[in-house]
Amino acid sequence: MKSTRTRLNTIQILNLLLLFCIISQAQSQDSKTYRVIARSGLTVRSAPDINSKKINVIPFGTEVTVKDKTTVPFEVNDNGYKILGTWFSIQNDSLSTQPSYVFSGFLKTIDEIANSYKGIHTPNKMFDRFHGVYQFNEKVNGIVILDAEEYLNISDIDFNNYISQETETNEDIYYKNTFVTLYKNKKATRAFNHLLNEEFYVYFEKGAQKIKIINILFYPSECAESFVVLELDPFISNSLGKPIMASKINLELTYASFLKEAAHYNYLTDIRKLGADCGFANDNGHIQLFAKYKEYYFGYRNDPDITAIYIEPYRQIIRFDQQEVNIQYSSFLDLFGCPCL
């Protein structure tokens, strides 16, 4: 009889252990780790209500453990773009012992962040002949041709000798008062010299203008990407805003700010930034949209200070596919050499 009781006790213990494992597994499945994607931080509140007490703000990129998910809906309206979600109860012992709730629309799992880059770049051949236009200082503007390394003959050039020269010659001229040093050498740029005096349609923030190429320059870099610059004839009027893109193709664009679409793109950008291999803390990567052609939006990002660049400028043409965004064309100046970090 004693052995039977002992065997029953053992079975009961095993059953209790099994039940404990099942409960622990269920709890671990319910309590997932998320990261904050709100660029300005995520507000923690005492109840699942926007009017409840504000406890704290969790910084962008911080990991958060979700304890429970409510069914209380909430939405954030960013210039017409609606971010939908509910309220999540989170583990918040370090901030407060009272219940803590956050809006789920600004939380993403590690998997969601990792998958945010999938299918984003879908180049469109229609835009193969487009190039970014950049302001190198207040007077020097140029069309930038990327992926130009194999066409530049710069292996025999002594760039230190260029900079040490006190006088500039017609063949060896450079701009050193621009945000990157620009060089001129006809032998180095012989694959592009035929573009001198050619005219391109330059797309500004508020319209387009045909402008002539007056110089062929280049920027060499060991870590960042080398590129060719087709210097534009100085344009007199600033009524069209900043120059953004150029092409031999003349498109009839609709010019506007498109704030809702920009907010949509920037929301997705904040997610992707957390999964980026190379990034800078003060660079949010946000875009400004300025024009549209059919279903395609034209956008850019500039550093407000063109004399000293601290964020890398880019130009993009994008298309929205429901809640996703497809980048159809991209001109990105890698000035800080991510490959060398």
Side-chain angles (χ1 to χ4, degrees), residues 242-305:
K242 300 181 183 69
I244 308 297
M245 295 181 190
S247 177
K248 285 287 189 178
I249 302 171
N250 184 19
L251 294 181
E252 293 294 329
L253 302 185
T254 300
Y255 294 89
S257 296
F258 302 106
L259 297 178
K260 175 183 176 181
E261 291 77 9
H264 185 176
Y265 177 94
N266 293 332
Y267 174 78
L268 299 176
T269 296
D270 289 339
I271 300 171
R272 294 195 302 271
K273 289 289 283 187
L274 293 176
D277 295 329
C278 177
F280 301 91
N282 296 324
D283 184 2
N284 60 25
H286 285 185
I287 201 171
Q288 287 181 261
L289 300 179
F290 72 99
K292 183 181 180 183
Y293 175 73
K294 296 183 178 179
E295 71 268 33
Y296 305 102
Y297 294 86
F298 290 61
Y300 69 96
R301 191 271 298 273
N302 285 336
D303 194 315
D305 182 4

Side-chain angles (χ1 to χ4, degrees), residues 50 100 111 120 122 136 168 178-179 188 192 194 196 206-207 220 237 240 248 261 267 271 287 300 325 328-329 340:
I50 191 64
S100 303
D111 287 343
I120 188 170
T122 55
F136 291 89
E168 299 173 350
T178 48
F179 63 76
F192 304 92
H194 67 283
L196 191 64
K206 300 176 183 178
S237 174
L240 296 179
K248 285 287 189 178
E261 291 77 9
Y267 174 78
I271 300 171
I287 201 171
Y300 69 96
V325 62
Q328 308 282 296
Y329 162 82
C340 293

Side-chain angles (χ1 to χ4, degrees), residues 308-323:
I309 297 295
Y310 295 103
I311 62 174
E312 293 174 314
Y314 67 75
R315 280 81 176 100
Q316 287 183 345
I317 301 174
I318 62 176
R319 176 179 173 273
F320 293 96
D321 182 9
Q322 295 181 355
Q323 291 302 309

Side-chain angles (χ1 to χ4, degrees), residues 21-172:
C21 290
I22 292 172
I23 293 172
S24 299
Q25 184 179 11
Q27 288 177 340
S28 66
Q29 287 175 349
D30 286 339
S31 129
K32 276 188 177 181
T33 300
Y34 291 74
R35 292 185 72 182
V36 174
I37 64 164
R39 178 58 63 172
S40 58
L42 183 58
T43 300
V44 182
R45 297 190 178 275
S46 60
D49 187 332
I50 191 64
N51 298 314
S52 63
K53 180 183 176 183
K54 179 179 174 181
I55 299 174
N56 211 318
V57 176
I58 306 175
F60 174 75
T62 303
E63 289 192 354
V64 173
T65 300
V66 172
K67 294 168 57 180
D68 191 22
K69 302 176 182 179
T70 74
T71 57
V72 181
F74 187 68
E75 72 176 45
V76 170
N77 190 317
D78 185 357
N79 286 302
Y81 173 63
K82 294 182 180 180
I83 303 169
L84 306 177
T86 59
W87 293 93
F88 283 4
S89 170
I90 64 168
Q91 188 72 39
N92 193 26
D93 294 342
S94 61
L95 300 176
S96 172
T97 56
Q98 63 180 302
S100 303
Y101 293 86
V102 295
F103 173 52
S104 68
F106 290 122
L107 290 177
K108 293 295 176 185
T109 65
I110 304 302
D111 287 343
E112 287 173 324
I113 293 169
N115 292 330
S116 63
Y117 276 94
K118 288 185 177 178
I120 188 170
H121 287 279
T122 55
N124 190 322
K125 289 185 177 181
M126 180 169 64
F127 303 118
D128 281 352
R129 296 174 63 189
F130 275 75
H131 304 281
V133 177
Y134 298 88
Q135 290 183 285
F136 291 89
N137 64 24
E138 291 183 357
K139 295 182 179 180
V140 179
N141 297 269
I143 301 171
V144 170
I145 300 179
L146 300 172
D147 301 320
E149 290 94 336
E150 61 180 304
Y151 303 105
L152 279 171
N153 302 293
I154 58 177
S155 58
D156 298 329
I157 296 178
D158 182 0
F159 292 102
N160 292 323
N161 184 49
Y162 268 53
I163 297 175
S164 65
Q165 293 177 3
E166 294 184 2
T167 59
E168 299 173 350
T169 68
N170 189 44
E171 279 300 305
D172 301 329

